Amino acid sequence: MKRFTAADLPNEADLLVIGGGITGASVARDAALRGLCVVLVDRDDFASGTSSRSSKLIHGGLRYLQTHQFRMVNESVREREVMMRIAPHLADLQPFLYLVYDGYPEGRALLNLGLTFYDAFSRAPLKRRHRMLDRQAVLQREPHLNPHGLKGGGLYHDALTDDARLVLDVLRSASRAGALLANHREVTGLIREHGRVAGAELTDRLTGEHLTVRARAVVNAAGPWVDRVLGLEQTPEHPTLRPTKGVHIVLRTEDFPLGTAVFLRSPSDNRVVWPTPAGDGRHVYVGTTDTDFTGSLDDVAGDERDFAYLLEAANHTLPGANVDTSHIVASWAGLRPLIAPAPGTSNSAASREHTLTTGPGGMITAAGGKLTTARLMGAQIVDLVAGQLRDRHGIRGLPPSTTGRVPISGGGAGEIFRARQDLASAPVTAETRQRWLGRYGGNARELAGAVARNDKDGVTIGDSVLTRAEIDHAVHREMAMTVADVLVRRTGSFFWSGDGDTSVIDHVSDTLDAAHGWTPQQRAAQQTDYKRWVERNRGARTL
């Protein structure tokens, strides 16, 4: 995966995608696999917005059955099954417990009915069908749960994921199919010809370089920033989005001994919350809040009220834990790009689904959506693009989408099998071997090859779980341009380290410096920026 330069750009691309989150990545992959010439840009890093700050689940949205959103649940559950086929390394199927306590609106009978629908929509094999558990069975499985008023629960399955890694592997698939990609390049203006949007002006936020991309079709997939991009085309009458903030906190399993992800209701407002064991076995994250957000889209973090809400939910789940702010290892906060309700209606009317609109200049804007259904959303958007290319440019015969059948990068069964073989003899620990397979899938062969050439690349750095091979891989193969690109999106070590993995900053900086030729001032600024960002997003340290 290579960051394009001005020399790489065609005279006119078929499609320019603005936004490198999961929606934009899915559009780029779908379009490139259909044979289109695609350019994708993001003003920050890939997945740096909502797509690295989600609940890290590929799920069907069980709770939406309560509001009778059957079509959305059906679609989501079916897409979960697709993701398990095309991205098995990043769709980690796990058991979940939906708990029922006295006073909950859903009793055991209603929950059983909802889970029956959930199973039917997914067409899952019998071994994955849900089971209803009585109070005793629930406490046998998770003895630290709050027993007061517990009536039982339903055991079902959904999938954990690394959301940022998912975006990166989708983008890597797009790149392999010919898409040109660039992070840290901001769209500062749109090109117009005969009243139509025909491309964009870009500014490189790292170098200040200006570029121009001409394209026959343009898609605005900027997530929470769609209104900002839309404003370059027209002055919207009303905001497209009503963003809400979702915050998660990370606790150590030794402080919060939970082995199964659970869904239950917050004692303060009756919203569904979910403490979820992380894939590393050493941490549990608790989410999420859902509050209106009116601040800067570029500065989103949890605050004292968010942490208090989540800690109250955590202590309601496991009363014996008695966790407080000193137990918070990390936190993250993101914005849900929810569709704004119509003027005069309540915010509760904000849709969890997505909309696709075409502006007066022909730019297609994708608003809303969710991680699980992004592949399907991408296919729908490219279908719209195909219509524009046919009607305006005479380009016909675009094949149908294949993204539901073609594995994403690292997700092919043969790739994963060969990676497992290569890693079996690699000079790394069993823990590192398993972590690489889970994060990189078949692409772990590249890391295995690196340590085969130099076994020192497989040794962890200081107190970190990271190795030199992973950092080199992030910089040289995955377009990491900053310290945060490496530690937050490429490796995710920020989320599971008490100090944000700042102990490896020097090695990360050395690798980035060698690749990009930083000046001493740039190196110092990069390190300072990351340390400030860590301080802003650590949780306990922000209080």
Side-chain angles (χ1 to χ4, degrees):
M1 197 160 75
K2 172 180 169 289
R3 192 170 186 252
F4 70 75
T5 65
D8 298 319
L9 291 171
N11 291 332
E12 186 177 42
D14 293 317
L15 174 63
L16 168 64
V17 182
I18 302 171
I22 189 61
T23 301
S26 298
V27 172
R29 174 176 178 253
D30 191 292
L33 286 173
R34 297 202 212 187
L36 296 181
C37 176
V38 181
V39 177
L40 177 145
V41 296
D42 194 288
R43 70 185 297 271
D44 201 326
D45 186 27
F46 306 129
S48 59
T50 304
S51 296
S52 62
R53 307 183 192 192
S54 74
S55 294
K56 306 187 187 302
L57 301 176
I58 297 174
H59 67 108
L62 175 62
R63 66 191 185 279
Y64 299 135
L65 288 174
Q66 299 169 10
T67 50
H68 307 114
Q69 299 180 69
F70 297 109
R71 188 189 66 82
M72 187 170 74
V73 175
N74 183 21
E75 183 180 88
S76 298
V77 172
R78 299 289 290 276
E79 283 299 302
R80 182 196 67 191
E81 299 300 306
V82 171
M83 293 305 299
M84 289 174 61
R85 293 195 300 270
I86 68 173
H89 60 305
L90 291 171
D92 182 17
L93 195 70
Q94 292 289 331
F96 284 71
L97 264 174
Y98 201 118
L99 301 178
V100 178
Y101 282 87
D102 288 335
Y104 278 18
E106 64 275 5
R108 282 171 49 86
L110 186 59
L111 177 60
N112 187 30
L113 179 62
L115 289 172
T116 299
F117 275 113
Y118 208 61
D119 291 337
F121 289 154
S122 70
R123 300 178 184 176
L126 287 175
K127 65 181 180 180
R128 281 207 271 127
R129 299 293 172 90
H130 81 278
R131 291 187 293 121
M132 297 302 296
L133 305 181
D134 61 20
R135 180 181 186 276
Q136 182 178 0
V138 168
L139 292 175
Q140 283 180 341
R141 184 179 184 93
E142 293 294 336
H144 299 286
L145 285 174
N146 190 343
H148 301 295
L150 178 65
K151 298 170 69 174
L155 186 70
Y156 67 102
H157 288 82
D158 262 329
L160 302 182
T161 193
D162 183 322
D163 46 9
R165 290 294 328 163
L166 181 62
V167 174
L168 290 166
D169 281 349
V170 170
L171 284 171
R172 192 166 185 182
S173 301
S175 177
R176 287 178 178 176
L180 300 175
L181 313 174
N183 50 359
H184 301 285
R185 284 190 176 142
E186 181 174 8
V187 171
T188 53
L190 297 177
I191 300 170
R192 293 176 182 270
E193 289 184 354
H194 310 296
R196 311 295 301 182
V197 175
E201 301 289 345
L202 311 178
T203 298
D204 192 313
R205 300 181 74 202
L206 298 178
T207 67
E209 178 189 18
H210 297 285
L211 297 92
T212 299
V213 177
R214 302 183 63 80
R216 297 181 176 92
V218 177
V219 168
N220 171 12
W225 294 267
V226 294
D227 280 323
R228 185 180 296 178
V229 176
L230 196 58
L232 299 175
E233 182 188 27
Q234 61 177 321
T235 302
E237 192 173 337
H238 303 290
T240 305
L241 298 181
R242 170 237 169 185
T244 65
K245 183 172 69 168
V247 179
H248 297 76
I249 59 172
V250 180
L251 305 169
R252 294 180 183 86
T253 304
E254 63 190 60
D255 298 322
F256 195 80
L258 183 71
T260 309
V262 296
F263 276 51
L264 73 166
R265 292 187 175 273
S266 164
S268 63
D269 61 5
N270 218 35
R271 283 188 59 254
V272 174
V273 293
W274 45 96
T276 305
D280 66 356
R282 293 191 289 265
H283 297 92
V284 176
Y285 59 94
V286 183
T288 176
T289 62
D290 188 10
T291 54
D292 285 323
F293 184 80
T294 56
S296 168
L297 301 179
D298 302 324
D299 184 21
V300 184
D303 58 30
E304 184 174 358
R305 188 187 316 176
D306 298 319
F307 300 136
Y309 176 89
L310 294 172
L311 288 168
E312 181 187 31
N315 286 317
H316 175 67
T317 306
L318 303 186
N322 293 317
V323 288
D324 57 32
T325 55
S326 68
H327 296 96
I328 297 176
V329 174
S331 69
W332 69 86
L335 296 179
R336 299 176 185 85
L338 302 183
I339 307 301
T345 60
S346 68
N347 281 339
S348 62
S351 173
R352 258 57 177 177
E353 301 192 65
H354 65 267
T355 63
L356 306 178
T357 57
T358 302
M363 182 169 68
I364 297 170
T365 291
K370 52 194 290 236
L371 188 75
T372 304
T373 55
R375 185 210 65 83
L376 183 61
M377 188 175 175
Q380 293 170 351
I381 293 168
V382 177
D383 285 342
L384 281 179
V385 170
Q388 286 191 358
L389 295 178
R390 180 186 63 244
D391 297 340
R392 297 171 193 160
H393 302 281
I395 298 174
R396 299 180 180 276
L398 200 66
S401 175
T402 60
T403 54
R405 302 191 304 273
V406 177
I408 70 168
S409 179
E415 287 182 278
I416 294 173
F417 175 78
R418 289 188 292 274
R420 186 171 281 111
Q421 284 187 314
D422 289 354
L423 285 172
S425 57
V428 295
T429 65
E431 181 180 355
T432 297
R433 186 178 298 120
Q434 193 59 36
R435 183 164 52 81
W436 285 2
L437 281 171
R439 291 185 61 77
Y440 303 98
N443 292 325
R445 294 190 74 195
E446 297 168 352
L447 286 85
V451 297
R453 293 186 293 273
N454 183 354
D455 58 7
K456 291 183 179 179
D457 284 351
V459 178
T460 56
I461 304 169
D463 295 331
S464 174
V465 300
L466 293 183
T467 61
R468 295 174 184 271
E470 290 165 271
I471 294 171
D472 289 350
H473 184 83
V475 173
H476 297 293
R477 292 184 180 268
E478 295 185 333
M479 217 182 292
M481 304 295 294
T482 71
V483 175
D485 291 355
V486 175
L487 297 180
V488 180
R489 268 83 62 182
R490 303 306 183 282
T491 67
S493 64
F494 158 80
F495 296 108
W496 320 113
S497 168
D499 66 348
D501 231 2
T502 52
S503 62
V504 300
I505 278 185
D506 283 337
H507 183 81
V508 172
S509 298
D510 289 344
T511 308
L512 287 164
D513 187 2
H516 306 310
W518 284 355
T519 65
Q521 293 79 11
Q522 287 174 316
R523 179 189 178 99
Q526 279 280 336
Q527 293 197 358
T528 298
D529 286 349
Y530 180 68
K531 289 175 181 177
R532 286 175 177 166
W533 193 87
V534 168
E535 193 68 20
R536 182 83 171 100
N537 290 275
R538 293 322 295 166
R541 294 166 180 77
T542 66
L543 300 181

